[in-house]
């Protein structure tokens, strides 16, 4: 097994980079096809969600594989390789298996324990099977990941550790109030009719909203979702579909807006939201400057010019820019160095810093100096400047949840008084402080056990063609010797000939039984890959015979598994 995964997620990259690197379905298809067309890879699958982009491949060379997969990710995402590289992570062989199993269990999700990722893994496998880019390794891997994820949810309480991104987002909108109590009687506008939007509409319906309006570019899909929401006749919920061009007018009626489309540009601009607020209140929407409001806070931070002097050799240096200062508090030396590289390479952040009058290069140098201090004294102090003075922000009249990647809603909406916006970025910040359930440890143990079992099975499967070829060679030897015996003893009757043939075969089977069983056991252990080579050398097996057995086995397995994921 030479499994390699190269990717980026909410844990390794800022939302601004994930947003720009997002892949459409067509991009994912082309990426998988180009990967198997590249020299180091024989199989490929793409797992792309709202907060991760990962490319899985079976490669024959590690370094060449990393270089090729990274280049392909950069090409298809449209983010330059030099800019993308600092945010990429690489996992190989057992670590790659561990990573996917953890993802399938929800351990690597923005909201720990959410189960929606299982459907996304299933879709990724189905797409790879349809494209015929998944062979034995990736079929086995993704099928097993689905089983491990289901096991984690059925055998543990991981569901209690988190919930779907939709539910978590609604809790952030309501400031952790009881969502049904907060939503009851409100009017909701859902933009998009895909899986995430459908889940949002269903969640709002269960929470007790009075009306759900569905807007989608394909009117038929919106109408179908509206019908599903009102099926059964035992609900007072009103649901209807509207065209996308009716969204601005509908915003003036809605209390809650959820948007999750596949659009590559903004769906709701700050001007559109401001106009909706004005339509509801009769007064222009105020803009709060330097707003750092978060979904769990009802207050707005007001910028202060007073700063504390940082400790260490940086004390005589000018203050950090907002970008640098807000990023380094509490970091250890290694993390500071990594952040220094991020500042030095982040072109988008250079532009932001330039607008703020800061010097990114000075930030990078200052961070490097702080890293030296942190290596000696520990971490950079958590409190680097006074807490901002807070001013009460007016209660919102419009609640907006943006679950799209790239974002559907202009981030400037955060600064509009009368609106509360929760997006992927704010959800990532909120989830970082979420408590971890005790069941997470149990899931981690399940993942570790399953990774060991998967590795053993793959190593054992690797030696199977060699064992089959050995037994085929032994059968040929038996047949040859029986034919020679018949030539020398032509007077044998059928009963005698059958008895001799059976005896010879029993002897050969008994001689091969213990070694072949034992070699499979040894091959399943870590470091057991060399036993297949030893067996081929000891018995002088034809490599082409072994390869033909492996090809036939792979073709049979591919035909069976490409019928669809479990």
């Amino acid at each position: 097994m030479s499994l390699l995964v190269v990717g980026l997620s909410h844990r390794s990259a800022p939302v601004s980079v994930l947003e720009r690197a997002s892949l459409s379905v067509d991009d994912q298809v082309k990426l998988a096809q180009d990967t198997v067309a590249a020299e180091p890879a024989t199989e490929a699958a793409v797992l792309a969600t709202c907060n991760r982009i990962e490319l899985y491949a079976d490669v024959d060379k590690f370094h060449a594989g990393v270089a090729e997969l990274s280049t392909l990710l950069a090409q298809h995402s449209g983010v330059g390789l030099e800019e993308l590289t600092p945010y990429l992570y690489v996992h190989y062989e057992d670590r790659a298996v561990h990573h996917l199993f953890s993802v399938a269990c929800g351990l690597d999700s923005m909201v720990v324990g959410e189960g929606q990722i299982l459907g996304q893994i299933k879709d990724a496998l189905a797409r790879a099977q349809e494209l015929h880019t998944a062979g034995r390794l990736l079929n086995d891997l993704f099928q097993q990941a689905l089983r491990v994820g289901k096991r984690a949810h059925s055998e543990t309480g991981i569901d209690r550790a988190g919930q779907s991104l939709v539910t978590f987002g609604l809790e952030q909108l309501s400031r952790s109030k009881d969502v049904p109590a907060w939503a009851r009687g409100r009017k909701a506008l859902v933009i998009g009719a895909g899986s995430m939007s459908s889940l949002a509409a269903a969640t709002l319906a269960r929470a007790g909203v009075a009306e759900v309006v569905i807007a989608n570019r394909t009117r038929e899909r919106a109408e179908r979702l509206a019908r599903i929401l009102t099926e059964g006749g035992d609900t007072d919920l009103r649901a209807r579909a509207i065209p996308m061009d009716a969204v601005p007018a509908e915003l003036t009626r809605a209390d809650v807006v959820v948007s999750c489309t596949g659009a590559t540009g903004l769906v709701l601009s700050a001007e559109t939201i401001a106009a909706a607020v004005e339509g509801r209140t009769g007064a222009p929407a105020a803009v709060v400057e330097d707003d750092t409001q978060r979904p769990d806070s009802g207050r707005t931070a007001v910028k202060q010019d007073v700063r504390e002097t940082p400790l260490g050799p940086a004390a005589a240096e000018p203050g950090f820019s907002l970008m640098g200062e807000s990023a380094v508090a509490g970091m250890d030396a290694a993390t500071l160095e990594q952040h220094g590289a991020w500042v030095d390479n982040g072109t988008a952040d250079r532009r932001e810093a330039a607008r703020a009058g800061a010097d990114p290069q000075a930030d990078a140098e200052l961070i490097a100096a702080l890293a030296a201090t942190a290596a000696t004294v520990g971490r950079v102090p958590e409190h680097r400047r006074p807490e901002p003075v807070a001013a009460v922000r007016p209660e919102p009249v419009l609640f907006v949840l943006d679950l799209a990647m790239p974002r559907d809603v202009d981030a400037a909406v955060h600064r509009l008084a009368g609106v509360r916006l929760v997006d992927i970025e704010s959800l990532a910040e909120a989830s970082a402080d979420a408590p971890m359930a005790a069941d997470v440890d149990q899931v981690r143990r399940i993942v570790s056990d399953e990774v060991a079992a998967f590795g053993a099975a793959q190593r054992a499967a690797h030696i199977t063609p060699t064992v089959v070829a050995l037994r085929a060679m032994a059968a040929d030897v038996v047949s040859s010797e029986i034919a020679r015996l018949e030539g020398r003893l032509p007077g044998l009757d059928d009963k005698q000939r059958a008895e001799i043939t059976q005896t010879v075969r029993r002897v050969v089977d008994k001689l091969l039984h213990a070694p072949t069983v034992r070699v499979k056991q040894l091959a399943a252990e870590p470091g057991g890959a060399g036993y297949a080579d030893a067996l081929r050398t000891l018995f002088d097996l034809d490599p082409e015979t072994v390869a033909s057995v492996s090809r036939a086995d792979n073709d049979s397995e591919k035909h069976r598994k490409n019928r669809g994921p479990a």
Side-chain angles (χ1 to χ4, degrees), residues 8 17-24 27-28 31 53 70-81 84 88:
L8 66 161
V17 174
L18 280 173
E19 202 171 34
R20 293 166 54 212
S22 62
L23 300 174
S24 67
D27 291 333
Q28 295 173 44
L31 175 57
I53 303 165
S70 300
T71 300
L72 288 169
L73 269 176
Q75 288 175 351
H76 289 276
S77 68
V79 180
L81 180 60
L84 190 64
L88 294 177

Side-chain angles (χ1 to χ4, degrees), residues 390-422:
V392 176
R393 185 181 178 110
E395 279 298 312
V397 297
L398 184 62
F399 298 84
V400 182
L401 176 58
D402 182 7
L403 298 174
M405 182 65 69
R407 74 183 76 213
D408 279 348
V409 183
D410 191 343
V413 171
H414 277 298
R415 305 208 321 266
L416 292 179
V419 183
R420 181 176 302 142
L421 169 62
V422 172

Side-chain angles (χ1 to χ4, degrees), residues 10 15 18-19 50-51 110 165 196 401-407 414 421-431:
H10 64 100
V15 172
L18 280 173
E19 202 171 34
C50 61
N51 53 28
M110 187 177 294
L165 204 59
M196 186 75 80
L401 176 58
D402 182 7
L403 298 174
M405 182 65 69
R407 74 183 76 213
H414 277 298
L421 169 62
V422 172
D423 53 22
I424 292 294
E425 190 167 16
S426 50
L427 284 175
E429 293 175 5
S431 65

Side-chain angles (χ1 to χ4, degrees), residues 13 25 36 49 85 87 132 156 162 188 228 268 272 276-277 279 294 385 396 410 415 419 458 473 499 537 549 564:
V25 173
V36 294
T49 72
T85 297
Y87 307 113
H132 302 291
T156 75
I228 291 172
L268 296 176
T272 301
V277 172
R294 290 293 175 252
R385 61 176 175 174
D410 191 343
R415 305 208 321 266
V419 183
Q458 290 295 311
M473 184 190 75
E499 185 64 32
T537 301
V549 173

Side-chain angles (χ1 to χ4, degrees), residues 4 9 28 62 135 146 187 281 323 329 334 366 387 438 441 474 478 547 552:
L4 175 66
S9 74
Q28 295 173 44
F62 172 73
L146 291 170
K187 296 176 181 177
T281 63
M323 173 185 62
L366 189 51
E387 291 296 323
D441 288 336
V478 169

Side-chain angles (χ1 to χ4, degrees), residues 100-107 113-114 117-118 148-149 152-153 158 443 447:
L100 182 59
F101 287 5
S102 297
V103 168
C105 293
L107 293 179
E114 63 94 10
I117 186 65
L118 282 174
V148 174
H153 284 280
I158 189 66
V443 173
V447 168

